[in-house]
Amino acid sequence: MGNQAGPASVEDQARKLARVHRALKTLSAGNHTLLHASDEQALLNDMCRIIGESGGYQRAAVGYAEHDQEKTIRWMGTVGTDIRFLESVHLTWSDTPSGRSVAGTAIRTGKPYVGQHILTDPAYAAPAYDPLREAAIKKGVTSVTAFPLRIDGEVIGALVIGAAEPDAFDEEEVQLLSELADDLAYGIANLRIREKHRDAEATIARLAYYDALTGLPNRTFLLERLEESMQEAKQHHHALALLHLYVGRFHEINKVLGYRSGNQLLQELGRRLKLAVKENETLAHAGEAEFALLLPAASAEHAIQRAQRLTTILHDPVAVSGLMVDASVNIGIALFPGHATTPEALLRRANAAMREARPTHDGYAMYTGGQEEQHARRLALMGDLRHAIEHDQLLLYCQPKVDMASRRVCGAEALVRWQHPVHGMILPSDFIPLAEQAGLITPLTDWVLESAFSQSYAWHEAGLDWPLAINLSAHDLRDPDLVERIRGLFSTWGIGPELIQFELTESALMEDPASAMETLTDLKQLGTRLYVDDFGTGYSSLSYLQKLPVDYIKIDQSFVMPMTVSNDSAVIVHSTIELGHNLDMKIVAEGVESQAHWDSLAALGCDVAQGYHIGKPMPTAQFRNWETGWA
Ligand code: C2E
Ligand code: CA
Ligand code: CA
């Protein structure tokens, strides 16, 4: 009991007790708030409120220390005073007159600053603090103390508490309220960590379920959603549909224009699809060049309608690297429960159906059940093809080319045929892709080269010097031994280089322009003549075309055939002819199916014509007869 100042009065003791009591009450209420806080701003507001309500303090405020040039104190929450008012005073925590307030000092020193009397305390001496002091007095605040808020040793701000009585904050109360400030700082740190975790978790979830390129759900997401939707469909006895969309041009565009362009294409298609998708449907980027659309309650008719709608949306050309590109999207449809009862199987069946979709049939197809068998059939066919090549069961057909000015036959194109013992005649458009997949292009090309050289020799012996043009594929252009084999054939058969020519599609050339250029240069050195085939479908640039050592441009039949009815096609044909002539190349039009085609092409100055109007591909043995009839 008692000290040098004499025994404390009962009143004093009671006051002291009351102060400790309110600090304790505040501390405990503060703890409760900390435990339940879910976000930082709410925590600050609650804490200020509690200091006022439970503690009975006149004022509470939390200010954060900004690290701007002025070292501003940013007010986050207040009770008993207005934030905008505090802001208007422009308090800082710098070592200048504007930084001498209790809050600024606490932040700067990292220690509580106890202001016992607002009228006498040096913290409020500067004239700049006049409004603050006046407002405090008006609100009945006499003493103000600030406690630093510390996270990981760094002071992030201050908690300011104001009380009505002068000399309100004795040592014990300051001690307790410091604890409160520490608790608050701990609570803030905790929430910030939790926030970071939440962000990280959200990112991880996004990465696991979403595709960064298109922002769409990915395959994993789709399969999980499919599983749920199948359960629901089962419970409510309805069907659901899965549409599988494949972007046919993606790989080509990637190769020719670069992966950025491929990505651009996917993003644009994704954007269009997003706009077309209804709220209850799930659109996913299901694979590199694949999208999928889940219709959670759909009949076959409904699914077909949606597919038709989507094909029209996707049909419009997409602007990619300055070119207008046809994405050529095919859609396959499979239904639950009719076609499959697990997510993976349904996706597989929709995919199988997609492979049957053809642009000629609006670009979509429904799963029919036979498609996987067809896949098996393809595998069997690959084996048959290998056998056919090895056992000389392919046939060489040829199709005439005619010089338009003189109407004379100026050569023929060698076209391979496969007479299958069971399936009948199979066209190259069906078995060349097969040969590509089965790694059979080199043996196939070798077969064609042998047959063409032997045929050319036979014609030459008979006094008929019609050049025969051989088609080479992209794979051939990458074959390092190709040119050597061709050189060998010329010496074996002893025929001149003007009798064998080569056709290379524009897209094959663009797949690997550098090595294509090398092969073309070597072929050219043998003295042969070269064609750019299917011109107009491969996006080659004029500058690249100029450098190519080629003699002929073959305008693709997809431009020639419609030229008599479509002005766009006529314009393309016209300008290709002009372009070719400017580059000193001759122009061949393929797909000349009628007299009308012939007449239009002749008027445009086209050099050579090839097509059904002149002659269909025929067995080489019939060619002489045909020529006699033509001439
Ligand atoms: P391609 O080189 O563009 O050959 C022209 C194709 O158009 C041939 O189809 C021919 O029959 C067809 N055609 C010609 N005139 C007309 C016409 O007036 N109207 C229509 N509708 N079509 C016409 P085919 O023989 O089925 O060959 C298809 C493709 O298969 C060829 O296109 C070529 O890229 C490839 N191919 C054919 N034979 C060989 C070969 O020996 N080696 C390689 N690598 N590819 C070949
Ligand atoms: Ca050709
Ligand atoms: Ca062609």
Side-chain angles (χ1 to χ4, degrees), residues 74-112:
R74 183 157 53 94
W75 296 99
M76 301 298 298
T78 55
V79 149
T81 180
D82 186 43
I83 280 205
R84 261 163 306 177
F85 167 70
L86 279 183
E87 280 168 353
S88 71
V89 188
H90 295 302
L91 295 179
T92 74
W93 55 283
S94 62
D95 200 2
T96 64
S98 72
R100 303 269 153 75
S101 72
V102 288
T105 310
I107 293 172
R108 196 172 53 253
T109 60
K111 292 192 194 110

Side-chain angles (χ1 to χ4, degrees), residues 333-517:
I333 307 169
L335 298 167
F336 166 89
H339 296 153
T341 51
T342 67
E344 284 81 8
L346 194 67
L347 191 57
R348 220 168 33 241
R349 304 242 140 118
N351 180 282
M354 179 279 297
R355 275 187 250 124
E356 295 305 306
R358 293 276 174 277
T360 42
H361 292 90
D362 296 340
Y364 69 87
M366 176 78 73
Y367 181 73
T368 58
Q371 283 145 346
E372 270 157 318
E373 286 146 42
Q374 264 171 30
H375 184 65
R377 204 191 106 183
R378 280 171 73 81
L379 284 181
L381 266 184
M382 285 186 190
D384 293 351
L385 180 59
R386 185 186 304 275
H387 182 90
I389 296 170
E390 282 165 7
H391 296 83
D392 203 14
Q393 289 171 358
L394 299 176
L395 301 169
L396 192 69
Y397 273 44
C398 63
Q399 186 180 29
K401 291 176 186 168
V402 170
D403 178 80
M404 293 196 78
S406 65
R407 287 186 60 86
R408 286 178 49 169
V409 174
C410 61
E413 174 173 6
L415 293 163
V416 65
R417 293 289 181 267
W418 178 19
Q419 180 72 46
H420 190 279
V422 178
H423 306 301
M425 186 71 93
I426 302 181
L427 287 175
S429 49
D430 288 327
F431 72 80
I432 289 193
L434 203 65
E436 255 155 26
Q437 280 171 27
L440 290 172
I441 288 287
T442 303
L444 178 77
T445 301
D446 281 346
W447 184 91
V448 175
L449 283 168
E450 284 286 348
S451 318
F453 270 87
S454 128
Q455 180 60 50
S456 179
Y457 174 79
W459 279 342
H460 181 62
E461 286 296 287
L464 307 164
D465 281 338
W466 294 313
L468 193 52
I470 297 168
N471 289 287
L472 296 176
S473 56
H475 179 90
D476 294 319
L477 288 176
R478 290 192 294 269
D479 178 353
D481 305 326
L482 176 80
V483 179
E484 260 333 288
R485 285 205 300 280
I486 292 171
R487 196 196 305 278
L489 284 166
F490 273 118
S491 28
T492 306
W493 294 95
I495 53 177
E498 68 285 353
L499 290 185
I500 295 290
Q501 308 176 328
F502 295 98
E503 298 192 2
L504 304 108
T505 62
E506 189 188 14
S507 52
L509 292 173
M510 295 307 285
E511 260 188 35
D512 182 358
S515 77
M517 180 71 87

Side-chain angles (χ1 to χ4, degrees), residues 14-127:
R15 221 173 8 241
K16 186 178 165 70
L17 204 63
R19 285 177 190 169
V20 169
H21 187 64
R22 74 178 172 188
L24 276 172
K25 253 171 77 181
T26 315
L27 198 54
S28 118
N31 271 329
H32 181 82
T33 307
L34 282 177
L35 285 175
H36 292 88
S38 60
D39 86 88
E40 191 170 329
Q41 185 61 57
L43 171 65
L44 301 178
N45 294 343
D46 285 355
M47 204 49 124
C48 289
R49 188 174 47 75
I50 274 161
I51 292 169
E53 281 174 10
S54 303
Y57 294 99
Q58 254 61 27
R59 170 183 292 181
V62 176
Y64 280 176
E66 293 278 291
H67 289 269
D68 54 358
Q69 203 157 9
E70 286 80 34
K71 301 193 173 169
T72 311
I73 297 177
R74 183 157 53 94
W75 296 99
M76 301 298 298
T78 55
V79 149
T81 180
D82 186 43
I83 280 205
R84 261 163 306 177
F85 167 70
L86 279 183
E87 280 168 353
S88 71
V89 188
H90 295 302
L91 295 179
T92 74
W93 55 283
S94 62
D95 200 2
T96 64
S98 72
R100 303 269 153 75
S101 72
V102 288
T105 310
I107 293 172
R108 196 172 53 253
T109 60
K111 292 192 194 110
Y113 184 93
V114 184
Q116 296 295 19
H117 203 297
I118 208 159
L119 292 178
T120 55
D121 199 281
Y124 293 96

